[in-house]
Amino acid sequence: GAVVSQHPSWVICKSGTSVKIECRSLDFQATTMFWYRQFPKQSLMLMATSNEGSKATYEQGVEKDKFLINHASLTLSTLTVTSAHPEDSSFYICSAARPGQPQHFGDGTRLSIL
Amino acid sequence: AQTVTQSQPEMSVQEAETVTLSCTYDTSESNYYLFWYKQPPSRQMILVIRQEAYKQQNATENRFSVNFQKAAKSFSLKISDSQLGDTAMYFCAFMQPTGANSKLTFGKGITLSVRP
């Protein structure tokens, strides 16, 4: 089946630093990648949708200057949390998809800001 | 806009028994997909089963089957012969496959516990 790799799986960093999370589709070309945020025992909240070679589309209420998304190729998208603060601590999940096909998810990144 | 409702926050089932997780949705579209995803404690999102709206036959995957009632906009998941490894959060999701950006709309999820 389709494999999506997300790295790192867990990161702890100091307040004010920037953190980059990578999402790679290993065995298929993903025209679209999605970034989600999830709080404990809650559903996935879509943050943004990115298409290869174009600017990401952010959901309402998501700060695009805070959460920078780059989708440079059909197999790689990155999410950078800039100047991270404790309230940015959360579980971030990416997914990758081709048109009309189910999304395949990465294993998620647990981000802890001290 | 589409909405997905999972009204039961938690359920519990005895090992080897059968359990049904309910899901309803609202849409004005006729062509769409429905999914059930499983998220175990490891937090990995695993696709359990999918259903195309144009197919009348209910999808099945081994111990997992759905009861898709298009007119009622209902999409329940039945897990037969429950196993301890089925303990997880389960999310019902809707997707309208138009264009390149096929977003998923998730329900709030249900926490299923399988008792030994």
Side-chain angles (χ1 to χ4, degrees):
Chain A
V3 179
V4 176
S5 172
Q6 187 172 341
H7 179 81
S9 58
W10 198 351
V11 57
I12 302 173
C13 60
K14 292 182 178 180
S15 184
T17 59
S18 293
V19 179
K20 180 183 283 189
I21 303 170
E22 289 189 351
C23 181
R24 294 180 184 271
S25 58
L26 298 184
D27 55 358
F28 70 101
Q29 292 185 325
T31 50
T32 308
M33 287 188 173
F34 303 85
W35 288 95
Y36 297 88
R37 183 173 182 176
Q38 186 183 31
F39 293 103
K41 295 293 186 181
Q42 294 188 22
S43 190
L44 279 69
M45 180 186 76
L46 180 65
M47 299 174 66
T49 302
S50 73
N51 291 303
E52 183 262 340
S54 61
K55 289 185 178 180
T57 302
Y58 289 82
E59 295 299 302
Q60 192 173 8
V62 178
E63 300 175 60
K64 59 183 179 182
D65 295 329
K66 174 71 153 177
F67 300 99
L68 300 178
I69 292 171
N70 183 273
H71 192 161
S73 75
L74 284 171
T75 59
L76 173 65
S77 177
T78 60
L79 167 67
T80 301
V81 184
T82 62
S83 186
H85 292 286
E87 58 266 28
D88 299 323
S89 298
S90 190
F91 189 67
Y92 294 87
I93 310 176
C94 73
S95 70
R98 288 165 288 190
Q101 296 297 311
Q103 292 182 24
H104 297 277
F105 289 83
D107 288 345
T109 297
R110 186 173 300 176
L111 176 62
S112 297
I113 309 299
L114 304 178
Chain B
Q2 290 79 23
T3 59
V4 177
T5 302
Q6 293 178 255
S7 56
Q8 306 154 301
E10 295 181 352
M11 286 192 76
S12 179
V13 64
Q14 192 76 31
E15 192 176 11
E17 303 267 307
T18 295
V19 64
T20 298
L21 312 182
S22 63
C23 172
T24 58
Y25 60 95
D26 190 24
T27 183
S28 58
E29 302 297 329
S30 59
N31 183 30
Y32 50 87
Y33 296 130
L34 295 164
F35 305 92
W36 278 97
Y37 281 91
K38 168 186 178 182
Q39 189 179 41
S42 65
R43 305 191 79 170
Q44 181 186 13
M45 290 290 285
I46 302 166
L47 177 63
V48 175
I49 201 164
R50 65 182 284 186
Q51 175 81 43
E52 290 87 350
Y54 64 86
K55 290 187 178 179
Q56 292 188 339
Q57 187 173 7
N58 289 324
T60 62
E61 286 288 341
N62 300 314
R63 299 183 295 109
F64 299 88
S65 62
V66 297
N67 183 2
F68 173 48
Q69 301 290 327
K70 191 172 183 179
K73 295 179 182 175
S74 170
F75 183 62
S76 60
L77 175 69
K78 185 172 81 171
I79 305 175
S80 304
D81 185 26
S82 297
Q83 301 176 0
L84 297 179
D86 295 333
T87 292
M89 276 198 83
Y90 287 81
F91 295 98
C92 179
F94 173 102
M95 183 181 84
Q96 185 184 344
T98 54
N101 298 341
S102 300
K103 293 183 184 180
L104 280 171
T105 301
F106 285 96
K108 289 186 176 181
I110 177 171
T111 299
L112 176 67
S113 300
V114 180
R115 305 185 306 273

mmCIF file of all heavy atoms in Angstrom, chain A residues 71-101:
data_model
loop_
_atom_site.group_PDB
_atom_site.id
_atom_site.type_symbol
_atom_site.label_atom_id
_atom_site.label_comp_id
_atom_site.label_asym_id
_atom_site.label_seq_id
_atom_site.Cartn_x
_atom_site.Cartn_y
_atom_site.Cartn_z
ATOM 1 N N HIS A 71 5.710 22.908 -0.690
ATOM 2 C CA HIS A 71 5.464 21.638 -1.384
ATOM 3 C C HIS A 71 6.286 21.693 -2.672
ATOM 4 O O HIS A 71 5.753 21.940 -3.752
ATOM 5 C CB HIS A 71 3.974 21.501 -1.668
ATOM 6 C CG HIS A 71 3.560 20.130 -2.110
ATOM 7 N ND1 HIS A 71 2.251 19.704 -2.047
ATOM 8 C CD2 HIS A 71 4.249 19.092 -2.613
ATOM 9 C CE1 HIS A 71 2.163 18.476 -2.500
ATOM 10 N NE2 HIS A 71 3.361 18.078 -2.849
ATOM 11 N N ALA A 72 7.579 21.435 -2.533
ATOM 12 C CA ALA A 72 8.523 21.674 -3.624
ATOM 13 C C ALA A 72 8.505 20.587 -4.692
ATOM 14 O O ALA A 72 8.907 20.819 -5.825
ATOM 15 C CB ALA A 72 9.934 21.816 -3.057
ATOM 16 N N SER A 73 8.067 19.395 -4.330
ATOM 17 C CA SER A 73 8.057 18.302 -5.300
ATOM 18 C C SER A 73 6.827 17.437 -5.064
ATOM 19 O O SER A 73 6.094 17.630 -4.094
ATOM 20 C CB SER A 73 9.325 17.458 -5.169
ATOM 21 O OG SER A 73 9.251 16.638 -4.007
ATOM 22 N N LEU A 74 6.618 16.479 -5.939
ATOM 23 C CA LEU A 74 5.449 15.602 -5.823
ATOM 24 C C LEU A 74 5.596 14.576 -4.706
ATOM 25 O O LEU A 74 4.677 13.810 -4.439
ATOM 26 C CB LEU A 74 5.194 14.879 -7.157
ATOM 27 C CG LEU A 74 4.560 15.734 -8.245
ATOM 28 C CD1 LEU A 74 4.553 14.979 -9.570
ATOM 29 C CD2 LEU A 74 3.147 16.147 -7.874
ATOM 30 N N THR A 75 6.751 14.576 -4.058
ATOM 31 C CA THR A 75 6.944 13.605 -2.981
ATOM 32 C C THR A 75 7.318 14.236 -1.649
ATOM 33 O O THR A 75 7.498 13.521 -0.667
ATOM 34 C CB THR A 75 8.050 12.591 -3.361
ATOM 35 O OG1 THR A 75 9.264 13.307 -3.603
ATOM 36 C CG2 THR A 75 7.663 11.792 -4.599
ATOM 37 N N LEU A 76 7.416 15.550 -1.586
ATOM 38 C CA LEU A 76 7.866 16.172 -0.343
ATOM 39 C C LEU A 76 7.110 17.461 -0.047
ATOM 40 O O LEU A 76 6.992 18.343 -0.897
ATOM 41 C CB LEU A 76 9.362 16.485 -0.423
ATOM 42 C CG LEU A 76 9.952 17.291 0.748
ATOM 43 C CD1 LEU A 76 9.866 16.486 2.046
ATOM 44 C CD2 LEU A 76 11.401 17.670 0.450
ATOM 45 N N SER A 77 6.595 17.547 1.172
ATOM 46 C CA SER A 77 6.029 18.788 1.684
ATOM 47 C C SER A 77 6.599 19.013 3.078
ATOM 48 O O SER A 77 6.860 18.061 3.816
ATOM 49 C CB SER A 77 4.501 18.707 1.772
ATOM 50 O OG SER A 77 3.952 19.893 2.334
ATOM 51 N N THR A 78 6.829 20.279 3.418
ATOM 52 C CA THR A 78 7.350 20.591 4.751
ATOM 53 C C THR A 78 6.457 21.620 5.432
ATOM 54 O O THR A 78 5.872 22.489 4.792
ATOM 55 C CB THR A 78 8.783 21.140 4.689
ATOM 56 O OG1 THR A 78 8.798 22.341 3.902
ATOM 57 C CG2 THR A 78 9.735 20.131 4.082
ATOM 58 N N LEU A 79 6.354 21.456 6.744
ATOM 59 C CA LEU A 79 5.642 22.409 7.601
ATOM 60 C C LEU A 79 6.663 22.986 8.561
ATOM 61 O O LEU A 79 7.328 22.230 9.288
ATOM 62 C CB LEU A 79 4.534 21.715 8.371
ATOM 63 C CG LEU A 79 3.891 22.491 9.526
ATOM 64 C CD1 LEU A 79 3.113 23.694 8.996
ATOM 65 C CD2 LEU A 79 2.977 21.594 10.355
ATOM 66 N N THR A 80 6.819 24.293 8.560
ATOM 67 C CA THR A 80 7.722 24.941 9.503
ATOM 68 C C THR A 80 6.897 25.769 10.477
ATOM 69 O O THR A 80 6.156 26.669 10.066
ATOM 70 C CB THR A 80 8.736 25.846 8.775
ATOM 71 O OG1 THR A 80 9.499 25.064 7.849
ATOM 72 C CG2 THR A 80 9.682 26.494 9.776
ATOM 73 N N VAL A 81 7.039 25.449 11.749
ATOM 74 C CA VAL A 81 6.401 26.226 12.805
ATOM 75 C C VAL A 81 7.400 27.294 13.232
ATOM 76 O O VAL A 81 8.452 26.970 13.802
ATOM 77 C CB VAL A 81 6.002 25.344 13.996
ATOM 78 C CG1 VAL A 81 5.245 26.160 15.042
ATOM 79 C CG2 VAL A 81 5.148 24.161 13.533
ATOM 80 N N THR A 82 7.111 28.527 12.903
ATOM 81 C CA THR A 82 8.077 29.601 13.159
ATOM 82 C C THR A 82 7.860 30.202 14.541
ATOM 83 O O THR A 82 6.726 30.322 15.017
ATOM 84 C CB THR A 82 7.952 30.699 12.104
ATOM 85 O OG1 THR A 82 6.637 31.262 12.178
ATOM 86 C CG2 THR A 82 8.178 30.151 10.708
ATOM 87 N N SER A 83 8.965 30.559 15.182
ATOM 88 C CA SER A 83 8.925 31.176 16.510
ATOM 89 C C SER A 83 7.906 30.453 17.394
ATOM 90 O O SER A 83 6.924 31.054 17.876
ATOM 91 C CB SER A 83 8.581 32.662 16.384
ATOM 92 O OG SER A 83 8.682 33.303 17.645
ATOM 93 N N ALA A 84 8.151 29.171 17.580
ATOM 94 C CA ALA A 84 7.181 28.330 18.288
ATOM 95 C C ALA A 84 7.049 28.724 19.758
ATOM 96 O O ALA A 84 8.032 29.094 20.412
ATOM 97 C CB ALA A 84 7.600 26.872 18.169
ATOM 98 N N HIS A 85 5.835 28.618 20.257
ATOM 99 C CA HIS A 85 5.546 28.904 21.658
ATOM 100 C C HIS A 85 4.804 27.711 22.260
ATOM 101 O O HIS A 85 4.283 26.855 21.527
ATOM 102 C CB HIS A 85 4.735 30.192 21.774
ATOM 103 C CG HIS A 85 5.515 31.407 21.392
ATOM 104 N ND1 HIS A 85 6.490 31.943 22.208
ATOM 105 C CD2 HIS A 85 5.492 32.168 20.271
ATOM 106 C CE1 HIS A 85 7.025 32.993 21.605
ATOM 107 N NE2 HIS A 85 6.439 33.155 20.430
ATOM 108 N N PRO A 86 4.707 27.650 23.580
ATOM 109 C CA PRO A 86 4.072 26.481 24.211
ATOM 110 C C PRO A 86 2.675 26.176 23.679
ATOM 111 O O PRO A 86 2.299 24.999 23.596
ATOM 112 C CB PRO A 86 4.047 26.868 25.689
ATOM 113 C CG PRO A 86 5.259 27.728 25.861
ATOM 114 C CD PRO A 86 5.347 28.527 24.578
ATOM 115 N N GLU A 87 1.942 27.173 23.284
ATOM 116 C CA GLU A 87 0.584 26.912 22.765
ATOM 117 C C GLU A 87 0.589 26.223 21.406
ATOM 118 O O GLU A 87 -0.460 25.751 20.942
ATOM 119 C CB GLU A 87 -0.229 28.213 22.677
ATOM 120 C CG GLU A 87 0.378 29.288 21.802
ATOM 121 C CD GLU A 87 1.228 30.266 22.594
ATOM 122 O OE1 GLU A 87 1.786 29.877 23.656
ATOM 123 O OE2 GLU A 87 1.349 31.417 22.134
ATOM 124 N N ASP A 88 1.765 26.173 20.768
ATOM 125 C CA ASP A 88 1.887 25.447 19.497
ATOM 126 C C ASP A 88 2.136 23.958 19.719
ATOM 127 O O ASP A 88 2.131 23.172 18.753
ATOM 128 C CB ASP A 88 3.026 26.032 18.658
ATOM 129 C CG ASP A 88 2.793 27.490 18.295
ATOM 130 O OD1 ASP A 88 1.631 27.851 18.031
ATOM 131 O OD2 ASP A 88 3.777 28.272 18.309
ATOM 132 N N SER A 89 2.366 23.577 20.967
ATOM 133 C CA SER A 89 2.572 22.163 21.271
ATOM 134 C C SER A 89 1.326 21.370 20.878
ATOM 135 O O SER A 89 0.208 21.727 21.255
ATOM 136 C CB SER A 89 2.844 21.974 22.762
ATOM 137 O OG SER A 89 4.028 22.636 23.145
ATOM 138 N N SER A 90 1.553 20.310 20.123
ATOM 139 C CA SER A 90 0.419 19.531 19.626
ATOM 140 C C SER A 90 0.952 18.339 18.852
ATOM 141 O O SER A 90 2.155 18.116 18.766
ATOM 142 C CB SER A 90 -0.457 20.403 18.712
ATOM 143 O OG SER A 90 -1.680 19.752 18.393
ATOM 144 N N PHE A 91 0.032 17.578 18.280
ATOM 145 C CA PHE A 91 0.368 16.466 17.399
ATOM 146 C C PHE A 91 0.027 16.905 15.983
ATOM 147 O O PHE A 91 -1.111 17.293 15.699
ATOM 148 C CB PHE A 91 -0.441 15.232 17.810
ATOM 149 C CG PHE A 91 -0.039 13.958 17.132
ATOM 150 C CD1 PHE A 91 1.197 13.376 17.390
ATOM 151 C CD2 PHE A 91 -0.890 13.327 16.238
ATOM 152 C CE1 PHE A 91 1.565 12.190 16.779
ATOM 153 C CE2 PHE A 91 -0.519 12.138 15.617
ATOM 154 C CZ PHE A 91 0.717 11.576 15.883
ATOM 155 N N TYR A 92 1.011 16.864 15.094
ATOM 156 C CA TYR A 92 0.821 17.304 13.716
ATOM 157 C C TYR A 92 0.912 16.088 12.792
ATOM 158 O O TYR A 92 1.841 15.288 12.893
ATOM 159 C CB TYR A 92 1.872 18.348 13.324
ATOM 160 C CG TYR A 92 1.728 19.642 14.088
ATOM 161 C CD1 TYR A 92 2.350 19.816 15.326
ATOM 162 C CD2 TYR A 92 0.957 20.691 13.589
ATOM 163 C CE1 TYR A 92 2.206 21.001 16.042
ATOM 164 C CE2 TYR A 92 0.805 21.876 14.295
ATOM 165 C CZ TYR A 92 1.435 22.021 15.522
ATOM 166 O OH TYR A 92 1.282 23.199 16.232
ATOM 167 N N ILE A 93 -0.047 15.975 11.893
ATOM 168 C CA ILE A 93 -0.085 14.827 10.979
ATOM 169 C C ILE A 93 -0.190 15.329 9.550
ATOM 170 O O ILE A 93 -0.965 16.252 9.273
ATOM 171 C CB ILE A 93 -1.293 13.909 11.242
ATOM 172 C CG1 ILE A 93 -1.418 13.549 12.714
ATOM 173 C CG2 ILE A 93 -1.202 12.636 10.411
ATOM 174 C CD1 ILE A 93 -2.657 12.723 13.014
ATOM 175 N N CYS A 94 0.556 14.705 8.661
ATOM 176 C CA CYS A 94 0.429 15.026 7.251
ATOM 177 C C CYS A 94 -0.243 13.867 6.529
ATOM 178 O O CYS A 94 -0.288 12.742 7.028
ATOM 179 C CB CYS A 94 1.778 15.312 6.621
ATOM 180 S SG CYS A 94 2.804 13.846 6.381
ATOM 181 N N SER A 95 -0.786 14.159 5.378
ATOM 182 C CA SER A 95 -1.302 13.098 4.516
ATOM 183 C C SER A 95 -1.001 13.476 3.075
ATOM 184 O O SER A 95 -0.747 14.634 2.759
ATOM 185 C CB SER A 95 -2.799 12.882 4.717
ATOM 186 O OG SER A 95 -3.529 13.975 4.204
ATOM 187 N N ALA A 96 -1.006 12.475 2.227
ATOM 188 C CA ALA A 96 -0.719 12.675 0.816
ATOM 189 C C ALA A 96 -1.776 11.956 -0.002
ATOM 190 O O ALA A 96 -2.271 10.895 0.394
ATOM 191 C CB ALA A 96 0.672 12.134 0.476
ATOM 192 N N ALA A 97 -2.109 12.544 -1.158
ATOM 193 C CA ALA A 97 -3.184 11.954 -1.958
ATOM 194 C C ALA A 97 -3.012 12.271 -3.430
ATOM 195 O O ALA A 97 -2.365 13.244 -3.812
ATOM 196 C CB ALA A 97 -4.540 12.481 -1.476
ATOM 197 N N ARG A 98 -3.596 11.393 -4.212
ATOM 198 C CA ARG A 98 -3.801 11.656 -5.624
ATOM 199 C C ARG A 98 -5.281 11.956 -5.815
ATOM 200 O O ARG A 98 -6.103 11.579 -4.985
ATOM 201 C CB ARG A 98 -3.399 10.422 -6.449
ATOM 202 C CG ARG A 98 -1.917 10.186 -6.505
ATOM 203 C CD ARG A 98 -1.594 8.804 -6.986
ATOM 204 N NE ARG A 98 -1.908 7.804 -5.969
ATOM 205 C CZ ARG A 98 -1.543 6.540 -6.055
ATOM 206 N NH1 ARG A 98 -0.849 6.120 -7.104
ATOM 207 N NH2 ARG A 98 -1.869 5.670 -5.106
ATOM 208 N N PRO A 99 -5.663 12.653 -6.904
ATOM 209 C CA PRO A 99 -7.072 13.028 -7.087
ATOM 210 C C PRO A 99 -8.022 11.848 -7.001
ATOM 211 O O PRO A 99 -7.808 10.817 -7.635
ATOM 212 C CB PRO A 99 -7.080 13.645 -8.492
ATOM 213 C CG PRO A 99 -5.709 14.163 -8.684
ATOM 214 C CD PRO A 99 -4.812 13.166 -7.997
ATOM 215 N N GLY A 100 -9.056 12.002 -6.179
ATOM 216 C CA GLY A 100 -10.083 10.983 -6.069
ATOM 217 C C GLY A 100 -9.686 9.756 -5.283
ATOM 218 O O GLY A 100 -10.471 8.815 -5.176
ATOM 219 N N GLN A 101 -8.470 9.753 -4.734
ATOM 220 C CA GLN A 101 -7.992 8.596 -3.976
ATOM 221 C C GLN A 101 -7.973 8.906 -2.485
ATOM 222 O O GLN A 101 -7.887 10.068 -2.088
ATOM 223 C CB GLN A 101 -6.579 8.215 -4.440
ATOM 224 C CG GLN A 101 -6.513 7.765 -5.878
ATOM 225 C CD GLN A 101 -7.324 6.509 -6.115
ATOM 226 O OE1 GLN A 101 -7.211 5.536 -5.372
ATOM 227 N NE2 GLN A 101 -8.170 6.532 -7.126
#
